[in-house]
């Protein structure tokens, strides 16, 4: 094989503190935003309309947060996970400055932890990745850990170093833009009258819609993100035992977020991701449904027009209507559960209500 | 079911004069235009080329009229037709100011008629919808009527009020832009030498091309338009009796218009829709052909470089070449007829010819 | 059939020196670029990132060269090859001024050769096509020859006139932009450290990735390019003997170029195409792999930061990993070989190396 080919690192190729600058920078455009809409049908008003976005202080309709995540994530694959056998988890993911059409993202990463399996055949690599835009502003920062095989199983075991991982992002670390202001936010145009104060902890929302996955959809998504992984585009080399190609997991996250519009239409921005588990694989022909639970609420102490909801959004396959069950009594995911996504969204407050509370 | 979910109105939820402001405003972009081209392959020069559009007085290549229609139409679904069992018709549809990439559309509607079925199980709702751009200029205005079931079939019958519907739009109501001027219109670049005066009433044109529909195409279209209807994206819940998903009807309108380029290349703009009937459903795998008949011609009294053709474009499925037949002797649509579309297009005149007529 | 329909020329309709102005001009946009990425997943940094492109003297990320080629090519079909039975070859293809989002291409052609088959049933037409942008700058110039049937097989045989065809483009004819400068080219961001001087004649590179073709992908591609040919979109009328639609050949060229990123990441621009043979048809479900061979290298005498590689990129179907074989001992293409593409790419030089050589 030519040395000029990127064939991916094995577990023994990683060391603590190792840094990567990822190729290639990517300018995100209105074309990317349209394709994303065509693939998932997301209807969030702030991402759909320049006027709606500008009414609350954005420069223009920002690129969907999950699309930004996918673009950043895909850049890390050649150096990090081309040989990974499993994506084990994500945490401490913080979204920074909004990305507008025309902005360019750059991505770099650092190895922050290593843990070789007892059998010496593979190990977990913990990576912190960060993206900046063309002005150097922080766009996205997150940790993920992946299982990567060893090439030489007789090689020296690496030192074990498991980083401290937060179970959720502290709202004090959220990055808000000073220009944001929700006085002119119109719920008639956003698609729902329900604002921050209308949601309570423990509330569950069935997002009702279902979507059947076509093979070409997740392939187009993976290529749009310039994801170089072979598993999703090559029918011959990467079959699972059922003879089908695994659907790109990122695809499910996008579907679930788009579906959540029905019930969470004012949750205009994902501000942080606490954790994410891709519980079971999906295949073309599977029909995906989704529901969310409000895990926590957070009212900003100095910003009376904005709140945050911590959500768990669960996606299931082939269950028709989603029921609010996803784990069995032993806390094991149901075989129909495909995504357990724990994240924080921003949502405007009802001004009169929040001001009156302040005055109490 | 959560109250926060949009689950759609039933017939008894509508009343005469009722108004809706539809979410969410939508900025149309070059990305939307490219996807539309990739889905339908339309070749009309004014929509394809900034230079061609500017040569006749547009600011840039305008967004395809039918794409604007779909975008506006989709916004009305949550308030109007989420529970509709049939789209019965369209009329009095007038296109106003052109939409360019970067413009944002807003949509509102009013109930202008109601007609409960004799069996008390459903009724027809007549809706007038209007779209404006970010400057408040009228973009599109049309009436449609839909069959919507009653939820409570023992509820009080509503007052019957059937609005007067025009069979066709009077050319005096067309909205032309004062900047338009066809002196520099080049037929070598538009794809055909045939202008207004080359078409005669009764003339029929077989558009020759056929297109086979793939499942993913109409799904991508529906999502691009942010159409929240479940029927097109969910394989499990919305099967028809043959086990297939019905193709989104708007998809056929777009295909037929794109095909009509071959024979009507200079019909650069749809200025009004007189009526539209989605005669039979289509499914993935069906092959669509189309032909048009010139129903009327209209020469503008004070604009010697522009005329209008009233066209009937008929789309059929699985007929190979389209024959010019679409109804039987009892005026019933053939089972192969899928679209009967009656509309007005603008088409430049041969300047020398129209000027000489003026001088007669 | 209506006279207003374009039904294509037959062999006897062509004459030497005949000129065509092709409809319709096309403005290329960021939307087209995004769709192209979603269809092929190309990762070349200069096409992906405004910052990377501007760092070497482009105004912005230019449109992918092969996308420009497809757009130009498709415009020529109505006048040239609607009735063609085979695309026989391409040569002397030179890329000129870069195309940026917002630029409009115009295309014209001339018949430069004719050769009737001995059986009098068809003949080869040689066409030189040229595209210019809205400023009149040359964008693309190439020769192709196609086999076109005679309509009237008893018509007078045409005079035979076979043009001289170059086997490859002389690098002295390459069109370089004076603004280009590679001092700030960053290989950490481009995805590979390997520059011009790292490649040697005879070197072969397996691009490793494979991609399975879906029906809808090549249809979307053909429509995006406004290719009016029926063969790719119509399941009923244009079946091959195996009952499948032939994949649009241009699709394979794009796939092969996108795959070549892995091994040739710094080959940022195609500057000329020497020849191209679409050796065997492909169908949905086929899995494509690709490899390249360096046929020649060219160091520009007065530009020490840039070189050119002459490459043969071969695409095969259903071979798993591509082996470096594509013809048998009689120089006949293997049945698995689908593309033999001979072209020149530009690639930056390692500055220190090339300067020191200059000083020798």
């Amino acid at each position: 094989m030519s040395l000029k080919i990127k064939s991916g690192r094995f577990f023994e190729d990683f060391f603590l503190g190792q840094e990567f600058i990822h190729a290639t920078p990517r300018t995100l455009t209105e074309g990317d935003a349209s394709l994303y809409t065509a693939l998932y049908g997301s209807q969030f008003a702030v991402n759909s309309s320049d006027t709606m976005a500008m009414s609350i202080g954005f420069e223009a309709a920002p690129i969907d947060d999950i699309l930004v995540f996918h673009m950043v994530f895909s850049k890390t694959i050649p150096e990090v996970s081309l040989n990974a056998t499993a994506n084990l988890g994500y945490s401490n993911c913080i979204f920074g400055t909004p990305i507008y059409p025309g902005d360019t993202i750059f991505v770099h990463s650092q190895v922050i932890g290593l843990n070789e399996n007892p059998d010496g055949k593979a190990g977990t690599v913990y990576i912190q990745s960060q993206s900046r835009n063309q002005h150097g502003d922080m766009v996205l920062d997150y940790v993920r850990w992946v299982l990567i095989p060893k090439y030489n199983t007789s090689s020296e075991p690496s030192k074990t170093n498991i980083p401290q991982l937060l179970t959720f992002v502290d709202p004090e670390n959220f990055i808000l833009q000073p220009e944001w202001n929700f006085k002119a936010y119109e719920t008639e145009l956003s698609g729902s009258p329900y604002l921050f104060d209308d949601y309570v902890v423990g509330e569950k929302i069935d997002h009702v819609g279902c979507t059947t996955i076509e093979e070409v959809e997740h392939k187009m998504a993976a290529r749009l993100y310039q994801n170089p992984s072979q598993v999703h585009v090559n029918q011959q080399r990467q079959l699972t035992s059922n003879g089908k190609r695994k659907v790109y997991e990122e695809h499910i996250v996008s579907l679930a977020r788009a579906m959540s519009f029905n019930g969470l239409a004012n949750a205009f921005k994902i501000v942080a991701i606490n954790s994410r588990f891709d519980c079971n694989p999906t295949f073309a022909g599977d029909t995906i449904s989704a529901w969310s639970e409000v895990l926590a609420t957070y009212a900003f102490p100095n910003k009376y027009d904005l709140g945050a909801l911590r959500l768990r959004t669960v996606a299931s396959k082939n269950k028709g209507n989603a029921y609010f069950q996803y784990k069995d009594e032993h806390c094991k995911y149901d075989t129909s559960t495909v995504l357990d996504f724990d994240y924080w969204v921003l949502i405007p407050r009802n001004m009169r209500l929040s001001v009156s509370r302040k005055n109490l």
Side-chain angles (χ1 to χ4, degrees), chain A:
Chain A
M1 187 180 290
S2 167
L3 282 173
K4 294 180 175 114
I5 299 299
K6 286 211 178 173
S7 50
R9 280 180 177 71
F10 291 91
F11 183 71
E12 63 264 39
D13 301 324
F14 292 93
F15 58 87
L16 207 64
Q18 189 177 15
E19 292 185 324
F20 305 113
I21 293 177
H22 302 293
T24 63
R26 173 69 132 91
T27 303
L28 279 80
T29 71
E30 291 179 349
D32 301 324
S34 290
L35 258 165
Y36 194 77
T37 304
L39 288 169
Y40 306 108
S42 177
Q43 298 172 66
F44 288 97
V46 169
N47 300 121
S48 301
S49 156
D50 285 341
T51 56
M52 197 77 184
M54 291 187 290
S55 78
I56 57 173
F58 284 93
E59 293 171 26
I63 300 283
D64 190 287
D65 303 303
I66 298 290
L67 174 53
V68 172
F69 182 90
H70 294 335
M71 290 281 192
V72 170
F73 171 81
S74 295
K75 296 300 169 198
T76 68
I77 294 175
E79 283 73 31
V80 174
S81 54
L82 218 46
N83 295 329
T85 45
N87 239 341
L88 298 175
Y90 295 82
S91 82
N92 205 29
C93 173
I94 294 174
F95 287 86
T97 195
I99 288 291
Y100 299 106
D103 284 344
T104 301
I105 54 165
F106 297 79
V107 188
H108 61 276
S109 296
Q110 189 170 21
V111 178
I112 61 165
L114 291 166
N115 186 19
E116 186 165 325
N117 284 7
D119 67 5
K121 292 187 177 161
T124 301
V125 180
Y126 297 81
I127 299 276
Q128 178 165 16
S129 296
Q130 192 179 74
S131 175
R132 294 187 172 271
N133 69 8
Q134 71 275 21
H135 306 301
D137 301 326
M138 199 281 277
V139 171
L140 184 66
D141 193 315
Y142 68 97
V143 173
R144 79 162 162 142
W145 52 108
V146 287
L147 185 65
I148 297 181
K150 292 180 77 171
Y151 185 76
N152 177 0
T153 51
S154 62
S155 67
E156 193 80 13
S158 69
K159 280 191 197 147
T160 294
N161 192 310
I162 305 175
Q164 196 76 27
L165 296 172
L166 300 170
T167 53
F168 68 97
V169 176
D170 185 329
E172 295 201 359
N173 295 325
F174 292 171
I175 297 173
L176 308 185
Q177 302 302 312
E179 307 80 34
W180 287 345
N181 181 309
F182 299 88
K183 278 198 204 96
Y185 187 83
E186 291 185 64
T187 54
E188 273 187 321
L189 295 180
S190 70
S192 163
Y194 302 104
L195 296 169
F196 174 76
D197 300 279
D198 299 310
Y199 292 86
V200 295
V201 173
E203 180 174 356
K204 289 178 182 174
I205 302 164
D206 180 349
H207 301 305
V208 178
C210 291
T211 299
T212 304
I213 300 173
E214 315 285 331
E215 199 78 278
V216 76
E217 292 169 352
H218 68 100
K219 280 178 66 182
M220 286 187 74
R223 287 184 303 224
L224 180 66
Y225 313 148
Q226 300 178 309
N227 182 325
S229 174
Q230 271 289 295
V231 72
H232 314 293
V233 297
N234 179 353
Q235 183 77 40
Q236 288 200 334
R237 293 211 301 193
Q238 305 280 352
L239 295 180
T240 55
S241 55
N242 66 358
K244 288 181 173 178
R245 270 174 286 178
K246 243 175 85 172
V247 168
Y248 185 35
E249 292 88 352
E250 310 290 317
H251 198 63
I252 307 300
V253 182
S254 292
L255 277 177
R257 166 69 175 160
M259 287 177 185
S260 77
F261 176 81
N262 200 359
L264 287 160
N266 292 314
F268 71 94
K269 183 169 176 55
I270 296 181
V271 68
I273 297 172
N274 301 310
S275 69
R276 173 186 138 195
F277 296 100
D278 305 320
C279 318
N280 280 294
T282 59
F283 303 96
D286 284 344
T287 297
I288 305 300
S289 54
W291 57 269
S292 296
E293 178 181 359
V294 179
L295 299 179
T297 65
Y298 181 79
F300 290 93
N302 299 309
K303 190 145 185 62
Y304 303 107
D305 55 358
L306 187 66
L309 301 178
R310 183 179 167 192
L311 301 173
R312 177 192 309 289
T313 295
V314 173
S316 302
K317 59 180 177 185
N318 308 325
K319 282 185 80 170
N321 260 327
Y323 315 107
F324 301 122
Q325 198 220 312
Y326 67 114
K327 285 182 172 177
D328 65 16
E329 65 269 35
H330 309 294
C331 279
K332 219 188 130 205
Y333 287 115
D334 294 351
T335 55
S336 63
T337 304
V338 296
L339 174 71
D340 177 4
F341 189 42
D342 177 344
Y343 58 111
W344 285 103
V345 292
L346 297 179
I347 181 166
R349 300 191 69 169
N350 180 320
M351 245 54 74
R352 282 163 305 175
L353 194 60
S354 54
V355 170
S356 66
R357 281 185 181 169
K358 178 195 164 193
N359 291 342
L360 283 180

